[in-house]
Amino acid sequence: MPPRLVLLYGIALSIYAQTAAPAPAKRLALVIGNRDYKSLPPVKSALDEATLIADSLGKAGFNVHLVSNMTADFIVKEEIPFLNLVSQGDICVIYYSGYVVQGDDDNYLVPVTFPPTSDQELQDRAYHLSRMQQKLEQRGASLKVIIVAGARPIETLVTGAAGPGLKEPDLTNSRQTLFSFDAPPGQLLRENAPIGRFTKAVARYIGEPGLSLTGVFASVKGQVGRESPEGPIPYEVDNVTIQDFYFHAPVKPVVVAPPVPTAKKDDLTPGLPVQNKKDRLEYVWIPGGTFKMGCVPGSQCEQNESPQHAVTLSKGFFMGRTEVEVEAYQRYTSAEGIKMPRGNLDDTRWKITNNPMSNVSWDDAKAYCAWAGGRLPSEAEWEYAARGGLENQAFPLNDENSRDKANFAGKKGNDIYDGVATVKKFDPNPFGLFDMAGNVWEWVNDLYSPTYYAQSAAVDPAGPGEGKEHVARGGSFDSNPKLHLRISFRKSYGKPGNLVGFRCVLDDTGDTRKLLNMPPKEN
């Protein structure tokens, strides 16, 4: 083939490969909870169980279609819209909690409008479970997981029922399919709990990073067996050969850098305040080091705070002892010839000059810090400083009474404030920093990503490379302490407001030492 034709052929193949590349697989879930039956006793736990599973799958990246109290017109109103979302290669999970009737040919999900005694066939009164299995197969779903919490006794005679509990599913005409039932075929489960052991275990192990699909349901059986040794153990059957599917991918091991050398005796003293000649605020020295960043396991962690991972900060830095105060920001705007932003709700004209500055955007906070000779802290620097050298503490200062020592919503202990407090009204942390918890949220330099901790650099992480909003840390006077008091709690913010302020850090350079009236840095 002539060279020119070879070149054109190669270009054509490249264009075809780009245009023909398959769309990434979607994660889709249909979750059904049937509680309020018209002709049968209510299944009290069904809606709570469905909500728990929907939340667990949502955190695993699934687009969840939640159905409460499925009626007889389920196929038209719920099944068809869900199936229309399914494309070739998608991953689909079906979860059902409610009554199930075993027929001669299949298991039937019982709608809340189901008449137990009727001349109609079961297939005309209830929903074929294998119908969903077959439809997903036809739509080209690459993986199908069908979970049923339905081995409940029905005390009323049901015409057409072939036996108790569930029937063994048929995998003959289905590929890459897994069924999990709360009890083996033909057995019933008598349990009266707000959420059943089976569903609770499914939700738990879906949330465990690094468990394979079969590993999740093996763990479910083990958990339920330990909790109820006398009762039936959940049933699972599959023909799945896919080995690389995880609800949550395994956590990559973090490579920890060598420990940072300890400071010399004549080096800077951590926590000793020095004043910045530019903004007149006090800064304290934070030595570099290695710490565990993220939510302490067992502390009701949110997904974006996990996994906890080792981070090394290779260099020390100076951090503002307080949040930037109104007076310091006024000094900046006067020097730069710009206007102050609008006042906040508690101080519309900025008369209380030792309140933390708020109503500034991330860009404005960044510009102030540059004017003051520094920058906004990275998220890792902020959390390291907030921990004050303490390890594996979920809450600041100490776990027992940290709520009493921070300005959050409500009043408790030293928190006597309805709104924002002036700086230094609460105890400093071990690094000499005030209000790292509460008062106002604090901008940090990093863009926000809920999954960043799984890919974070082990040394001097600078946050994700892209994102729409930035991270704010620490909580505010309007924050719920039960949710936001954890040191590791992260929030994304886009717009300025009276709940958000900031503090700056200064790198240890010759210019910084001049600003701080300190001896030159030793070589």
Side-chain angles (χ1 to χ4, degrees):
M1 185 180 294
R4 185 175 179 183
L5 289 179
V6 171
L7 176 62
L8 291 174
Y9 181 72
I11 293 172
L13 281 178
S14 176
I15 293 172
Y16 175 79
Q18 293 177 28
T19 57
K26 301 189 297 295
R27 292 185 169 204
L28 303 170
L30 176 63
V31 178
I32 305 166
N34 281 3
R35 182 185 65 189
D36 303 318
Y37 284 88
K38 294 184 177 179
S39 302
L40 295 169
V43 179
K44 295 180 181 179
S45 63
L47 294 184
D48 288 338
E49 289 179 344
T51 301
L52 177 65
I53 294 295
D55 181 65
S56 183
L57 289 170
K59 290 177 179 177
F62 280 78
N63 178 359
V64 180
H65 189 74
L66 179 61
V67 178
S68 300
N69 293 320
M70 176 182 87
T71 59
D73 58 0
F74 168 78
I75 292 175
V76 175
K77 288 190 174 182
E78 307 290 353
E79 182 218 51
I80 292 175
F82 172 76
L83 288 173
N84 284 340
L85 298 174
V86 181
S87 305
Q88 188 76 29
D90 289 345
I91 296 160
C92 297
V93 173
I94 311 299
Y95 171 85
Y96 173 84
S97 178
Y99 288 116
V100 176
V101 172
Q102 180 187 154
D104 289 325
D105 60 340
D106 194 18
N107 291 307
Y108 289 84
L109 308 185
V110 177
V112 294
T113 51
F114 176 79
T117 56
S118 172
D119 294 330
Q120 289 181 305
E121 297 291 332
L122 265 180
Q123 63 184 13
D124 297 322
R125 291 179 283 151
Y127 181 81
H128 267 290
L129 184 58
S130 62
R131 172 187 168 94
M132 177 63 70
Q133 175 188 355
Q134 293 162 3
K135 290 290 184 181
L136 292 175
E137 194 74 25
Q138 292 168 9
R139 298 288 297 182
S142 64
L143 181 62
K144 301 159 283 292
V145 180
I146 300 173
I147 308 165
V148 180
R152 297 179 169 92
I154 301 178
E155 308 299 345
T156 304
L157 177 67
V158 176
T159 55
L166 291 109
K167 181 182 178 68
E168 186 170 356
D170 183 5
L171 294 173
T172 305
N173 297 314
S174 184
R175 296 169 296 171
Q176 306 296 351
T177 303
L178 180 147
F179 280 91
S180 179
F181 298 160
D182 55 349
Q187 295 189 34
L188 293 174
L189 182 67
R190 296 182 181 272
E191 188 179 28
N192 185 20
I195 294 178
R197 285 185 288 266
F198 169 74
T199 296
K200 192 181 295 184
V202 170
R204 171 185 173 181
Y205 289 108
I206 282 176
E208 286 278 348
L211 278 181
S212 66
L213 183 64
T214 53
V216 167
F217 292 97
S219 299
V220 168
K221 288 195 283 187
Q223 179 70 30
V224 174
R226 288 189 294 274
E227 292 182 359
S228 180
E230 304 300 325
I233 294 176
Y235 167 85
E236 182 266 328
V237 64
D238 72 87
N239 58 10
V240 175
T241 59
I242 296 172
Q243 300 295 320
D244 59 352
F245 171 78
Y246 302 92
F247 288 99
H248 293 278
V251 178
K252 295 180 180 179
V254 177
V255 179
V256 180
V260 176
T262 56
K264 300 176 183 178
K265 291 184 179 179
D266 57 348
D267 270 357
L268 301 168
T269 303
L272 182 67
V274 288
Q275 190 178 61
N276 185 335
K277 290 189 292 186
K278 199 76 175 284
D279 65 6
R280 312 301 295 174
L281 292 178
E282 290 182 326
Y283 288 72
V284 296
W285 173 247
I286 310 294
T290 298
F291 75 111
K292 292 180 180 178
M293 185 173 182
C295 191
V296 178
S299 305
Q300 296 184 331
C301 309
E302 295 199 0
Q303 195 66 36
N304 72 348
E305 303 170 52
S306 299
Q308 189 185 51
H309 54 292
V311 166
T312 294
L313 299 178
S314 62
K315 298 177 182 178
F317 52 92
F318 297 91
M319 174 173 266
R321 198 179 184 200
T322 65
E323 294 152 337
V324 170
E325 299 172 35
V326 169
E327 183 177 16
Y329 202 84
Q330 288 171 334
R331 186 174 288 108
Y332 158 66
T333 57
S334 177
E336 295 296 296
I338 56 179
K339 292 183 179 180
M340 288 284 288
R342 62 181 175 83
N344 61 36
L345 298 177
D346 295 325
D347 184 14
T348 57
R349 297 191 178 183
W350 302 115
K351 292 183 177 180
I352 307 174
T353 58
N354 59 342
N355 267 350
M357 187 64 198
S358 59
N359 278 347
V360 293
S361 68
W362 180 89
D363 289 310
D364 290 337
K366 181 181 178 182
Y368 170 93
C369 289
W371 169 82
R375 56 181 174 80
L376 287 170
S378 70
E379 189 172 11
E381 288 171 335
W382 189 97
E383 185 171 323
Y384 175 69
R387 292 190 177 279
L390 303 176
E391 190 169 300
N392 268 340
Q393 283 206 179
F395 302 100
L397 300 175
N398 59 63
D399 288 359
E400 288 76 26
N401 62 355
S402 41
R403 169 64 190 98
D404 297 357
K405 300 181 178 182
N407 187 12
F408 278 77
K411 297 180 180 180
K412 195 171 188 298
N414 295 333
D415 182 8
I416 60 173
Y417 304 95
D418 290 316
V420 71
T422 57
V423 302
K424 297 184 181 179
K425 291 296 184 182
F426 298 88
D427 295 344
N429 79 355
F431 279 153
L433 299 166
F434 291 89
D435 295 320
M436 293 298 280
N439 220 18
V440 291
W441 291 95
E442 298 181 15
W443 290 118
V444 297
N445 194 60
D446 299 30
L447 289 164
Y448 175 78
S449 166
T451 59
Y452 177 64
Y453 281 12
Q455 300 90 31
S456 171
V459 180
D460 298 330
E466 56 183 20
K468 294 182 179 179
E469 297 184 334
H470 287 86
V471 178
R473 299 293 297 261
S476 77
F477 64 85
D478 194 44
S479 293
N480 182 344
K482 292 183 179 179
L483 299 177
H484 302 151
L485 187 56
R486 281 192 314 282
I487 297 173
S488 57
F489 189 87
R490 312 169 67 223
K491 185 177 179 69
S492 64
Y493 256 108
K495 297 180 180 179
N498 70 321
L499 301 180
V500 191
F502 66 103
R503 72 180 73 212
C504 304
V505 298
L506 311 176
D507 292 317
D508 185 16
T509 65
D511 289 340
T512 294
R513 295 212 175 195
K514 289 178 183 177
L515 273 177
L516 302 178
N517 285 321
M518 296 179 64
K521 189 176 180 180
E522 292 184 5
N523 294 327

